Amino acid sequence: MKRSKVIAVTAVAATIALVMAGCSSAPESEGTADEPVTITFWGAYGNGGNSAQADVLNDTLIPSFEEANPGITVEYVDVPYDDLLKKLTTSAAGDELPDLVRADLGWVPKFADLGVLVPLSDEMDNFQELADATFPGVLSTNLYDGKYYGLPLDTNTRVLITSQEALDAQGLDAPPATFDEFVAAADALTDSGVQVFADGGLGAWNISPWIWSGGGAVTDDKVTTSTGYLDNDKSVAAVQMLVDLYKDGQISNGIIGNAGATSTSEGLPGGNYANILDGPWMNGIWSEQFPDFTPIYAPMPAGDGGSVSVVGGEDIVLTSTSEHKKAAMKFIEFTQSEEFQMALVPTGQLTVIKALGDKQVELLPYLALFTDQLATARARVAIPQGSEVDTILNQALVPAFEGSVTVKDALTGAAAEIDAILAGN
Amino acid sequence: MSVLSTGESLSAGVAEVLSVTPAPPKKRRRRSKGRAVLAATPYLFLAPGFILFAVTVLYPTVQAFQMSFFDWKIVGSAASEFLGLDNYAKAFADDHFWLALSNSGVYMVLTVAPQIIIGLAIALLIQKKSPTQPLFRVLFYLPVVTSWVVVSFLFKFLFSDDGLINFALGDLLQITNGDTAWLADRWTALIAICALGVWKGIGWSMMIFLAALQGVPQTLVEAATMDGTNRWQRFKVVTVPAIWPALLFVTVMLVIGGFNVFVSVYLITGGGPAGRTDVLLTYMYEQAFNNLDFGYGSAIAVILTVLVFALSVVQMRVFRDRNGGGAL
């Protein structure tokens, strides 16, 4: 049964179809002084009541773009991050999407799969040139079914963050640089009341850095199969290391989803935890809430696979219902400029442009480590069902941490479930 | 959010059923224009409410039912694939669905009885007119009007590893060693969630019972006292039959509410650890809004609707039979 038959039974859907037909017949304007256009842009820059980013966008960047492109007005709508996916979902249902969206990395394949995004690699003349300038890990999050549906807008990654207090307790000068040193640090902390590590879950964002750094993988490079990768010896060994530490009481039970555990952001400055993995935004949070705390940033501990972390951030995407695609693409191009990228660095956004890495470190020295880590950082499984993969990993690994199944069995089971999802794509 | 509203539609439906009173004996009416207008008047007054109900409750319910047969693409212009009963088959074969269903059942069982028993007990204790009665009413009713979001965070804090409950049990009473990770285990987390449900619901059932207790015929109480009955006997043979309709109403509403638990679970544990405290609605929410699998989410919502409806019918039967068909 096709959708058309369903429309026939729902008057409301029919109305939507009529409205859409009206939209698509409108002539497309590029946006000139004679024919002004307005493009709408949704994002969560002002999230958490921190208006610094939204202010830079509204007061500096958008006026600058409008000045350079007379006839194009950009209307930025700030949506709280937690509501953005829901708002996008409901808007997609009503075909009332904005022209541009600052989308979380994980949402791009999801919305591309729904058919609401324009493949920029087909539509933008200079796409390849722009894409080549960005970090490969974050660019790869835009790839879906052989096409790129967006360009990276800002990025981040997780690095090891340590407190001086914890280092002192172990008599160490530097945070653990390798898996072996990490385990040794745990031994040194036995009976000190400080746990060596804490994290808030076992999804891909949490567990991938350990698996990759240990030389394992979640799937093959082409994301076609998980069996043989997630359950190979190296992946198992990396997870086993964490499980052993957990059983010794060296890792907080927040990792298995205990909502009552002290959070990583409070536990590190509070002296509960020696190390956490987190992103560049923590600096701003701690400087407000724990002004006496000086975080020490270090690379993800290296295993057989080197020091590999996970990429986070946002992409900019163009919706297929946009009436002003050309004007919107001009704005996308603007977001890749040095002016746009560098203006947001002081507000806690890492640039996605490789060539600007050094400049941002000059601006904020503590970003050096994040910039280095990004060079090898990798994206999570970029498929529409990314959140289902997180659920699978969580549900398979929690029993392994609790000791009711072996790590090998847990990962073999998870790989089979992920394979089933991948086979459906 | 259409799927979420199925529960509300049900409770509205149940309220309607409950408010049905025996039809007055039909009178012969002479046909006249004035009479016809008069007969239509109630419907005119009902219309705005019914239209609102149809648009916000009935339509979404029907839509959710329809969506449950498709691999529903949320985009208006996209083609949704018809799956027939596949989403239902998937649910019945899905271990996590059964886990979520059993958690909803556990929540219902663990919250309904305490709310009735404690609510009734408090109502009995404070029903006598006294200067302190309004104060107690307000105090016990306070949790009912407090936001679910606020009290969920409050309970999350109370039951956290460094929370007040651990402090009380460990440092103060020394019953445990104070390091129970309440929210890290399915059963202890459910206890925390149920405790919130009971705490927040007692005031509501208390108010209904207080109102019902006003209607207990004093003459019967006095007659029973003259017959030499004790308090418990009077409660059993006079009070309980008199408040039977209220008992039925409270039970049905609490059972429906129990199966529709969502906010507290979502905010306290988020279904964790590893989905073990998921209830039907958090699982449905995750399928629909995180995985964008609206078809499967709708199927779960429909199953919940049917289940709750069936349970309500069964309860009304049981109560009516026990009361010799008098109450309703």
Side-chain angles (χ1 to χ4, degrees):
Chain A
M1 192 179 191
K2 287 276 178 227
R3 170 75 177 153
S4 55
K5 285 193 186 168
V6 183
I7 289 175
V9 294
T10 58
V12 169
T15 318
I16 292 166
L18 279 174
V19 172
M20 267 183 47
C23 293
S24 54
S25 62
E28 185 156 307
S29 167
E30 269 190 57
T32 59
D34 301 331
E35 269 186 83
V37 300
T38 300
I39 52 175
T40 46
F41 176 33
W42 286 4
Y45 278 106
N47 194 34
N50 172 9
S51 60
Q53 293 173 17
D55 287 348
V56 170
L57 192 71
N58 281 321
D59 302 343
T60 315
L61 292 172
I62 289 177
S64 165
F65 172 77
E66 287 172 345
E67 201 179 322
N69 296 276
I72 304 180
T73 309
V74 179
E75 191 190 327
Y76 171 69
V77 180
D78 201 79
V79 184
Y81 176 86
D82 293 339
D83 295 340
L84 188 53
L85 182 62
K86 226 182 300 164
K87 192 168 158 79
L88 285 170
T89 311
T90 47
S91 305
D95 281 319
E96 283 171 350
L97 284 163
D99 300 281
L100 294 168
V101 182
R102 181 197 189 217
D104 189 276
L105 300 180
W107 304 344
V108 179
K110 221 181 252 189
F111 281 95
D113 182 52
L114 289 170
V116 296
L117 301 183
V118 173
L120 292 185
S121 51
D122 287 356
E123 301 279 330
M124 276 181 97
D125 301 333
N126 54 351
F127 177 83
Q128 201 54 47
E129 191 188 319
L130 293 172
D132 287 345
T134 61
F135 286 107
V138 61
L139 176 69
S140 72
T141 62
N142 293 287
L143 184 64
Y144 173 68
D145 212 9
K147 290 175 179 174
Y148 286 90
Y149 284 83
L151 275 167
L153 195 52
D154 50 69
T155 185
N156 55 64
T157 184
R158 312 175 88 203
V159 302
L160 196 73
I161 313 181
T162 311
S163 69
Q164 187 60 49
E165 194 187 336
L167 290 181
D168 293 344
Q170 304 160 71
L172 292 175
D173 299 328
T178 64
F179 278 15
D180 290 344
E181 287 181 30
F182 184 72
V183 174
D187 290 341
L189 287 168
T190 309
D191 300 327
S192 68
V194 182
Q195 292 176 307
V196 74
F197 181 66
D199 207 343
L202 287 164
W205 173 251
N206 310 98
I207 201 76
S208 300
W210 298 100
I211 290 177
W212 290 329
S213 299
V218 180
T219 65
D220 61 329
D221 290 341
K222 298 219 160 112
V223 197
T224 56
T225 175
S226 183
T227 297
Y229 295 87
L230 185 59
D231 55 349
N232 72 24
D233 291 346
K234 301 223 158 163
S235 301
V236 171
V239 176
Q240 187 69 53
M241 177 184 77
L242 295 179
V243 169
D244 291 343
L245 291 174
Y246 181 80
K247 285 181 184 160
D248 290 345
Q250 290 290 350
I251 294 179
S252 153
N253 63 7
I255 203 169
I256 64 158
N258 173 20
T262 305
S263 69
T264 54
S265 60
E266 283 174 30
L268 183 72
N272 306 48
Y273 312 135
N275 304 284
I276 63 170
L277 287 177
D278 223 320
W281 54 82
M282 292 310 297
N283 204 52
I285 293 173
W286 282 324
S287 64
E288 275 179 25
Q289 293 179 2
F290 300 91
D292 298 335
F293 174 65
T294 311
I296 299 168
Y297 298 97
M300 170 73 204
D304 291 351
S307 164
V308 185
S309 191
V310 61
V311 160
E314 276 89 16
D315 297 324
I316 187 160
V317 292
L318 173 59
T319 63
S320 46
T321 48
S322 167
E323 292 168 48
H324 311 295
K325 293 195 175 67
K326 292 227 167 89
M329 281 192 266
K330 276 187 190 163
F331 188 78
I332 293 180
E333 202 176 333
F334 175 65
T335 64
Q336 306 296 305
S337 68
E338 179 171 346
E339 180 188 359
F340 189 96
Q341 292 283 318
M342 291 309 291
L344 287 165
V345 168
T347 67
Q349 301 286 329
L350 289 184
T351 179
V352 294
I353 309 293
K354 282 182 282 189
L356 296 176
D358 292 342
K359 273 201 175 167
Q360 83 180 356
V361 174
E362 276 169 36
L363 208 60
L364 288 176
Y366 87 92
L367 293 179
L369 228 125
F370 290 93
T371 312
D372 291 347
Q373 189 84 72
L374 267 181
T376 56
R378 289 160 69 175
R380 283 158 279 172
V381 187
I383 54 168
Q385 303 89 344
S387 57
E388 287 167 56
V389 171
D390 283 334
T391 306
I392 291 170
L393 286 171
N394 244 311
Q395 296 192 348
L397 284 171
V398 167
F401 273 74
E402 290 171 339
S404 55
V405 296
T406 65
V407 172
K408 174 78 182 169
D409 287 349
L411 290 178
T412 307
E417 285 186 60
I418 295 172
D419 278 351
I421 288 180
L422 295 176
N425 283 344
Chain B
M1 300 304 281
S2 62
V3 266
L4 276 180
S5 59
T6 50
E8 288 159 32
S9 76
L10 260 174
S11 44
V14 170
E16 269 175 48
V17 172
L18 287 169
S19 64
V20 167
T21 45
K26 280 182 186 170
K27 287 178 192 163
R28 293 230 158 185
R29 285 188 186 136
R30 271 194 330 193
R31 285 190 183 183
S32 76
K33 208 176 177 187
R35 292 264 177 189
V37 172
L38 215 60
T41 312
Y43 297 102
L44 284 175
F45 279 102
L46 284 175
F50 182 78
I51 291 168
L52 198 69
F53 173 78
V55 170
T56 59
V57 176
L58 222 51
Y59 172 73
T61 310
V62 172
Q63 173 101 27
F65 187 67
Q66 180 201 347
M67 279 160 76
S68 68
F69 297 106
F70 288 83
D71 175 15
W72 189 265
K73 296 275 184 257
I74 52 161
V75 186
S77 45
S80 294
E81 190 191 345
F82 183 73
L83 296 176
L85 291 171
D86 284 8
N87 281 325
Y88 292 93
K90 181 178 169 185
F92 292 128
D94 180 355
D95 289 343
H96 204 78
F97 167 80
W98 291 109
L99 175 81
L101 178 64
S102 73
N103 282 342
S104 292
V106 166
Y107 180 85
M108 193 270 287
V109 169
L110 290 185
T111 56
V112 171
Q115 283 181 84
I116 293 174
I117 295 168
I118 304 174
L120 182 56
I122 293 174
L124 287 167
L125 285 174
I126 68 170
Q127 68 163 329
K128 279 224 179 80
K129 287 261 185 296
S130 78
T132 51
Q133 193 212 32
L135 176 73
F136 281 117
R137 276 194 192 194
V138 169
L139 286 182
F140 283 112
Y141 201 69
L142 212 54
V144 181
V145 288
T146 320
S147 148
W148 270 105
V149 176
V150 173
V151 294
S152 294
F153 282 121
L154 174 72
F155 268 65
K156 183 177 177 178
F157 170 72
L158 287 177
F159 282 93
S160 71
D161 293 3
D162 302 328
L164 209 59
I165 301 288
N166 268 343
F167 176 75
L169 291 177
D171 293 351
L172 286 183
L173 303 171
Q174 313 218 324
I175 298 169
T176 69
N177 47 11
D179 58 2
T180 312
W182 290 93
L183 305 180
D185 173 82
R186 178 186 172 193
W187 296 108
T188 52
L190 282 175
I191 286 173
I193 291 162
C194 292
L196 168 59
V198 172
W199 175 79
K200 199 169 184 317
I202 284 174
W204 179 80
S205 52
M206 174 203 77
M207 285 308 260
I208 309 260
F209 288 133
L210 268 180
L213 287 172
Q214 309 288 318
V216 178
Q218 283 308 304
T219 47
L220 280 183
V221 178
E222 280 158 21
T225 316
M226 301 268 274
D227 287 344
T229 55
N230 61 28
R231 272 166 178 269
W232 171 246
Q233 285 167 326
R234 281 201 295 280
F235 174 72
K236 228 172 75 176
V237 299
V238 180
T239 313
V240 170
I243 63 168
W244 197 255
L247 263 175
L248 165 63
F249 174 72
V250 168
T251 310
V252 172
M253 294 307 280
L254 288 181
V255 166
I256 293 171
F259 269 102
N260 280 317
V261 60
F262 172 74
V263 178
S264 52
V265 180
Y266 189 72
L267 291 178
I268 293 178
T269 65
R276 286 177 198 158
T277 57
D278 260 328
V279 288
L280 274 184
L281 281 184
T282 56
Y283 190 48
M284 181 220 75
Y285 184 85
E286 182 183 301
Q287 292 298 336
F289 291 99
N290 287 338
N291 299 343
L292 301 187
D293 194 345
F294 282 85
Y296 189 40
S298 300
I300 295 171
V302 170
I303 294 171
L304 175 64
T305 307
V306 171
L307 185 73
V308 168
F309 191 77
L311 265 175
S312 304
V313 170
V314 168
Q315 285 175 80
M316 284 195 271
R317 283 263 154 114
V318 169
F319 269 79
R320 194 168 46 194
D321 291 348
R322 280 194 57 189
N323 201 33
L328 279 176

